[in-house]
Amino acid sequence: VEVVKKFEGIDTGIKLIVGEEIHHTLGKASYHVVNLNPCSSVNEIIINKTDEVESVVRDIAGTLDIADECDRMEIAWIYDEIKKAGGVCIFPHPYWESGKAQNIKSSVTEAVYKLGLCDVIELMNGDKPQYSRAQMQLYYEMRADGYRYPIVSSTDNHNSLIDDDYF
C-alpha cells in the first residue's frame, strides 16, 4: 500500500496492484495463498488473532470434507477472509517442495479445486520443471472433471536458475 501511494501521480507505465502472501498459522500447516487487490489485509487479522477467530476457524473447518484437522483449519478460514476483504484468491504452486518433501498434500490441493476455495490457480511458477508439469497435469485432470479456473503463471517465482539438476 505504501509503495502504491508513493507512486500516485507518477506515470511509470506499470500498473501497481496491492497484494499479500498469506501464511496462515492457525492450522499449523505450511502453505500459503496470494491475496490480490484486497480492500483490507488478511495478514493483519492473523497477526491480531483472537480466541474468537480461532473459534470461527474451527467451526468452518468442521464443514469441510478433508481428512486432516490441520489441513481443514488451514484452508477453512483464509479463503473466506480474502473474499470478505474484496481480494482475488490465487492458489500458488501447489507442488513446490520444502526441503525434500512436497509442501502441500495432493488431497488438500484437490480439495481446494473441488470445494471452490480459490479464484485463480497458478499453473506454472518458473521453479523446477517437474513442479510445473505436476501442476499442469492436475489442472487438466480437474478440468476434465468439470472444475474450471482462470490460470496465472510466474506469480511466485522462487528459482530461475538453469542447470542440469533442473532439466
Side-chain angles (χ1 to χ4, degrees), residues 3-4 7-17:
V3 171
V4 171
F7 280 89
E8 281 180 0
I10 301 172
D11 184 13
T12 63
I14 298 171
K15 171 76 173 156
L16 298 175
I17 301 172

Side-chain angles (χ1 to χ4, degrees), residues 46-58:
I46 293 169
I47 290 167
N48 299 311
K49 71 181 177 186
T50 64
D51 291 339
E52 180 182 327
V53 169
E54 208 155 332
S55 174
V56 170
V57 170
R58 289 188 188 284

Side-chain angles (χ1 to χ4, degrees), residues 18-159:
V18 174
E20 62 183 344
E21 186 172 281
I22 303 169
H23 292 264
H24 191 307
T25 58
L26 292 175
K28 307 298 184 231
S30 58
Y31 46 93
H32 58 273
V33 297
V34 175
N35 183 11
L36 185 65
N37 204 27
C39 297
S40 59
S41 170
V42 174
N43 278 321
E44 289 290 322
I45 297 169
I46 293 169
I47 290 167
N48 299 311
K49 71 181 177 186
T50 64
D51 291 339
E52 180 182 327
V53 169
E54 208 155 332
S55 174
V56 170
V57 170
R58 289 188 188 284
D59 288 346
I60 296 170
T63 69
L64 298 177
D65 186 21
I66 298 172
D68 185 87
E69 182 184 13
C70 280
D71 294 331
R72 278 197 316 270
M73 287 182 65
E74 184 75 18
I75 67 174
W77 178 80
I78 198 166
Y79 298 97
D80 191 46
E81 289 301 318
I82 288 173
K83 295 197 186 343
K84 286 181 191 172
V88 173
C89 182
I90 300 174
F91 185 56
H93 52 67
Y95 287 108
W96 67 295
E97 283 183 9
S98 179
K100 295 290 181 189
Q102 194 178 72
N103 213 43
I104 305 172
K105 296 175 192 164
S106 293
S107 60
V108 173
T109 298
E110 289 181 26
V112 168
Y113 269 89
K114 291 177 180 178
L115 297 172
L117 298 175
C118 62
D119 300 308
V120 178
I121 301 292
E122 182 184 55
L123 191 57
M124 298 177 68
N125 70 331
D127 206 340
K128 295 181 181 180
Q130 63 265 32
Y131 304 157
S132 291
R133 285 192 294 271
Q135 290 159 193
M136 285 191 299
Q137 179 177 345
L138 176 65
Y139 173 78
Y140 286 111
E141 287 172 4
M142 292 288 105
R143 190 172 166 80
D145 287 341
Y147 300 98
R148 304 258 196 265
Y149 286 96
I151 58 174
V152 294
S153 64
S154 296
T155 62
D156 200 2
N157 187 352
H158 289 256
N159 193 341

